[in-house]
Amino acid sequence: MPLIVMVFASLKDMAEIRSTSILSVPLRPTVQPWVDAWQNACVGVDCVGLRGFYLKTVLMVVPAVVLSALFGALNGYALTKFNFRGSRFVYGVILFGSFTPYQAVLIPLAKTLGALGLSGNIGGLILVHTVYGLPFTTMFFRNYFMTVPQDLIKAARVDGAGFWTTFGHIILPLSVPMIVVTVIWQFTGIWNDFLFGVSFTSGQNTPIMVALNNMVSASAGERPYDVHMAAALLAALPTLVIYVLAGKYFVRGLMAGAVKG
């Protein structure tokens, strides 16, 4: 129902919004609110719409998703197929990160990014989301790799395959369901993030959700609800598309790593 209200409002002009119900079908549908949200609406002090912030967000999300998934797969592989002293403790420490709230790490992250010279830009957000996503991706892959027979790894060793060969040629091809789960999980979480974006970036480097907030905050007088609803739909569109196209694979991947044996 909220989605229907947003779609209807984004296809009306302000005169029709004021004079009709929020659930009424647009009498004179118009795409002008979408055009304004994309390229004319003011985001902070710049009236550039959401157009420029889309690319910046993609440049932030894609590397963060790839890196967090890759390192999570490596962690899960090492923790399940190589029994070393303290492996359970290491996994417990990593897993503890998934219970750490965003607010508790803001100041340490700010100091770290400042020391690395990554404060206020997209590179800093890539690092933040990669590190913060590792506990979740490690947990996903570890649970999934528990279902992979240990004999498969032993057979690869007998054939002379080392750590990286086994990981790249055997483990990763078997991990497609969990890779899909991890990519969807990380993509939606990073794309929709607001707190890290507003804390560690500014100006043209802000991600899409911060830009959306700045657009609404920049409105003076009567708020253009038609433009705001169109902007909200534009900002949410990638995650909606991913869930529509890959939602069944997400559930299938979760079930694939849900049980052992």
Side-chain angles (χ1 to χ4, degrees):
M1 187 61 70
L3 181 62
I4 292 174
V5 171
M6 292 174 67
V7 172
F8 285 175
S10 69
L11 296 175
K12 301 176 183 178
D13 56 29
M14 283 303 299
E16 187 173 350
I17 288 178
R18 287 191 297 265
S19 61
T20 61
S21 165
I22 61 173
L23 293 176
S24 63
V25 177
L27 301 176
R28 301 177 300 276
T30 175
V31 296
Q32 189 59 43
W34 290 76
V35 175
D36 291 339
W38 180 248
Q39 62 186 21
N40 298 326
C42 294
V43 181
V45 297
D46 301 316
C47 295
V48 294
L50 296 180
R51 177 176 50 186
F53 298 95
Y54 244 84
L55 178 60
K56 291 291 178 65
T57 308
V58 170
L59 292 176
M60 180 266 295
V61 170
V62 173
V65 169
V66 172
L67 290 174
S68 61
L70 177 61
F71 288 128
L74 280 170
N75 288 341
Y77 173 50
L79 289 169
T80 54
K81 302 308 176 186
F82 291 85
N83 294 321
F84 55 91
R85 180 176 296 179
S87 60
R88 291 183 179 273
F89 175 76
V90 172
Y91 177 63
V93 171
I94 295 175
L95 191 61
F96 181 76
S98 63
F99 300 100
T100 305
Y102 282 26
Q103 295 82 354
V105 296
L106 285 180
I107 294 178
L109 282 176
K111 292 182 176 180
T112 302
L113 294 180
L116 295 175
L118 295 175
S119 181
N121 57 50
I122 295 298
L125 273 188
I126 293 174
L127 177 61
V128 167
H129 284 298
T130 299
V131 173
Y132 201 85
L134 278 179
F136 298 98
T137 59
T138 298
M139 178 179 61
F140 288 156
F141 279 104
R142 179 185 180 274
N143 292 342
Y144 182 76
F145 290 154
M146 292 290 289
T147 66
V148 177
Q150 187 69 22
D151 291 342
L152 194 62
I153 308 301
K154 294 179 180 178
R157 291 179 183 174
V158 171
D159 291 337
F163 179 93
W164 294 105
T165 301
T166 305
F167 178 72
H169 289 82
I170 297 176
I171 295 299
L172 277 186
L174 293 174
S175 308
V176 173
M178 191 50 57
I179 290 174
V180 172
V181 170
T182 304
V183 168
I184 294 176
W185 176 275
Q186 284 296 94
F187 182 91
T188 53
I190 297 173
W191 185 276
N192 291 328
D193 170 66
F194 176 81
L195 184 59
F196 285 155
V198 77
S199 300
F200 303 131
T201 59
S202 60
Q204 293 296 317
N205 288 323
T206 55
I208 191 74
M209 291 303 167
V210 180
L212 177 62
N213 175 76
N214 294 342
M215 176 187 294
V216 175
S217 301
S219 301
E222 183 183 44
R223 294 187 180 275
Y225 293 111
D226 52 348
V227 176
H228 291 171
M229 293 300 179
L233 289 170
L234 283 171
L237 191 59
T239 54
L240 289 174
V241 170
I242 283 182
Y243 269 116
V244 169
L245 297 181
K248 62 179 181 180
Y249 301 105
F250 182 79
V251 176
R252 187 181 304 170
L254 285 178
M255 294 301 296
V259 296
K260 182 179 184 298

